[in-house]
């Protein structure tokens, strides 16, 4: 099998031109830990870094010694070296509220924030989390307070959903019902109902029966109030999207050495190529190896079987069985990685050995950073 290029992560985080690193991959593969470890390593090598996580788990806060993470970047204490590290967890609804407050006059902002349709949209609309991750990334980059931003992408079925979020939100806003509801406000209120009497009157009547007059009024108020705000939403999303395509951004696809995760990694690599996003390489987490690899799994199993048949050395037999299982697991993981490498032979790869315990502090993150760099 062809050996893939080695992923040199220190070269990426040491390069002052690298301003954004995006960690993507399917759920449960160690994206959050990878992002945090890279952030810590970058800070301890002199960068001013911020880690933005959208994983609802609190592991990142715990491992960085913070009691909590929220929508405000918080300084991580205990960083060794000349750099500094901040960490934050995306608060989807708070980010949405901040955008409304920043781009609408106080009265319009109040109308939107208190509207029941807005409260539902801001907390549960499909794609809102991914869209707000894009918004927050854009805010962090525009602030210029950090020279490196590391993003841990949402734990969705497709970790590239955040690339689709602006278009999905745009489709929602451009939908026929939304445009119809927006028309009265655009045309000047009451006169619009005369203009649209044949069309909108029928729809409004049907919706009133279905939803009730107050609900329809709330919906119209919400849509008309958002009209002035959402144009800026889309413009900023497009700007952030171009930022992700630009030099200075590096995408890391993170996977575990299992079939489904490797298959998802292949999909991410292909999708990033389609979107012309700059791929840095693949990180394979929790790779199993054996310190006694010279003894094959087959020989170890045969020796254990021989000892068991003779009724001798039960402990030795158990150790041999354990070693055989470990070697079989390592061989299976290697085959899955080979599938990826044969399909994407030019993609640089970094492999992180499985650790004996979960990461729960800065020292653990340092160890992960060392393993990421020791390729």
């Amino acid at each position: 099998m062809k050996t893939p290029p080695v992923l040199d992560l220190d070269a990426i985080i040491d390069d002052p031109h690298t301003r954004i690193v995006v960690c993507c991959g399917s759920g449960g593969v160690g994206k959050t830990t990878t992002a945090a470890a890279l952030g810590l390593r970058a800070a301890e090598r002199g960068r001013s870094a911020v880690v933005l996580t959208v994983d609802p788990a609190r592991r990142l806060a715990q491992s960085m010694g913070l009691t909590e993470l929220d929508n405000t970047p918080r300084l991580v204490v205990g960083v060794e070296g000349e750099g500094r590290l901040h960490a934050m967890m995306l608060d989807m609804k708070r980010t949405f509220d901040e955008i409304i407050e920043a781009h609408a006059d106080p009265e319009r902002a109040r109308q939107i924030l208190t509207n029941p349709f807005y409260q539902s949209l801001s907390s549960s609309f499909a794609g809102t989390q991914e869209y707000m991750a894009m918004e927050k990334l854009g805010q962090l980059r525009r602030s210029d307070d950090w020279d490196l931003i590391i993003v841990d992408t949402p734990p969705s079925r497709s970790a590239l959903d955040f690339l689709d979020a602006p278009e999905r939100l745009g489709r929602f806003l451009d939908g026929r019902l939304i445009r119809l509801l927006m028309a009265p406000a655009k045309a000047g209120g009451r006169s619009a109902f005369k203009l649209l009497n044949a069309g909108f009157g029928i729809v409004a009547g049907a919706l009133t029966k279905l939803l009730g007059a107050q609900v329809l009024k709330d919906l119209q108020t919400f849509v008309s109030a958002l009209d002035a705000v959402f144009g800026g939403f889309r413009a900023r999303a497009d700007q952030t999207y171009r930022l992700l395509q630009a030099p200075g951004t590096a995408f890391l696809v993170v996977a575990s050495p299992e079939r489904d995760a490797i298959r998802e990694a292949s999909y991410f690599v292909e999708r990033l190529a389609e979107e012309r996003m700059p791929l840095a390489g693949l990180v394979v987490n929790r790779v199993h190896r054996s310190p006694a690899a010279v003894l094959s799994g087959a020989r170890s199993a045969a020796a254990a079987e021989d000892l068991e048949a003779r009724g001798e050395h039960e402990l030795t037999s158990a150790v041999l069985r354990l070693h055989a299982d470990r070697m079989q697991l390592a061989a299976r993981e290697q085959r899955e990685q080979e599938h990826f490498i044969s399909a994407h032979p030019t993609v640089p790869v970094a492999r992180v050995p499985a650790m004996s315990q979960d990461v729960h502090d800065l020292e653990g993150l340092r160890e992960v950073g060392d393993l990421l760099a020791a390729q």
Side-chain angles (χ1 to χ4, degrees), residues 14 18 36 68 101 105 110 232 308:
D14 288 349
T18 302
E68 61 178 348
E101 291 163 354
D105 62 74
R110 187 193 64 76
E308 288 162 3

Side-chain angles (χ1 to χ4, degrees), residues 139-155:
Q139 287 176 15
L140 292 172
R141 186 66 183 84
R142 286 190 295 273
S143 75
D144 219 26
D145 291 335
W146 299 274
D147 58 35
L148 180 62
I149 302 165
I150 300 178
V151 183
D152 164 35
T153 55

Side-chain angles (χ1 to χ4, degrees), residues 114-305:
T114 58
N115 188 282
F117 281 95
Y118 167 74
Q119 290 169 3
S120 177
L121 174 74
S122 61
S123 56
S124 61
F125 181 71
T128 304
Q129 186 183 48
E130 290 83 1
Y131 183 87
M132 290 305 138
M134 294 276 280
E135 278 278 357
K136 184 56 71 175
L137 171 59
Q139 287 176 15
L140 292 172
R141 186 66 183 84
R142 286 190 295 273
S143 75
D144 219 26
D145 291 335
W146 299 274
D147 58 35
L148 180 62
I149 302 165
I150 300 178
V151 183
D152 164 35
T153 55
S156 45
R157 161 63 181 80
S158 170
L160 294 182
D161 277 351
F162 71 97
L163 297 178
D164 297 324
E167 184 185 348
R168 189 184 303 125
L169 200 59
R171 283 200 305 269
F172 167 73
L173 295 169
D174 291 334
R176 291 175 63 185
L177 176 61
I178 295 297
R179 283 189 279 115
L180 195 57
L181 290 166
M182 209 175 272
K186 285 186 172 179
R190 189 180 297 277
S191 62
F193 283 97
K194 293 177 182 176
L195 291 171
L196 295 167
N197 193 40
F200 183 78
I202 296 169
V203 175
L207 285 172
T208 301
K209 286 180 182 176
L210 182 67
L211 303 173
Q214 184 58 46
V215 173
L216 181 60
K217 185 174 182 295
D218 286 342
L219 181 57
Q220 283 178 262
T221 302
F222 163 65
V223 169
S224 61
L226 280 183
D227 186 28
V229 178
F230 266 118
F233 270 46
R234 266 179 279 192
R236 288 191 306 279
D238 290 343
Q239 186 180 13
T240 304
Y241 193 85
R242 289 193 296 273
L243 186 67
L244 291 173
Q245 290 177 317
T249 297
F251 278 82
L252 289 176
V253 176
V254 183
S256 57
E258 296 157 6
R259 181 167 299 173
D260 288 346
I262 292 291
R263 190 179 294 132
E264 288 284 291
S266 287
Y267 163 70
F268 297 146
V269 166
E270 289 155 14
R271 176 70 197 281
L272 288 169
E274 286 173 17
E275 301 287 340
R276 300 192 304 280
M277 299 287 174
L279 172 67
L282 171 72
V283 174
V284 186
N285 278 326
R286 300 194 285 268
V287 176
H288 290 91
R289 295 170 178 163
S290 173
V294 290
L295 177 60
S296 72
R299 287 178 60 198
S300 181
E305 198 172 306

Side-chain angles (χ1 to χ4, degrees), residues 22-43:
V22 181
C23 297
C24 58
S26 55
V29 296
K31 289 195 306 291
T32 303
T33 302
T34 299
L38 284 174
L40 177 61
R41 190 171 182 85

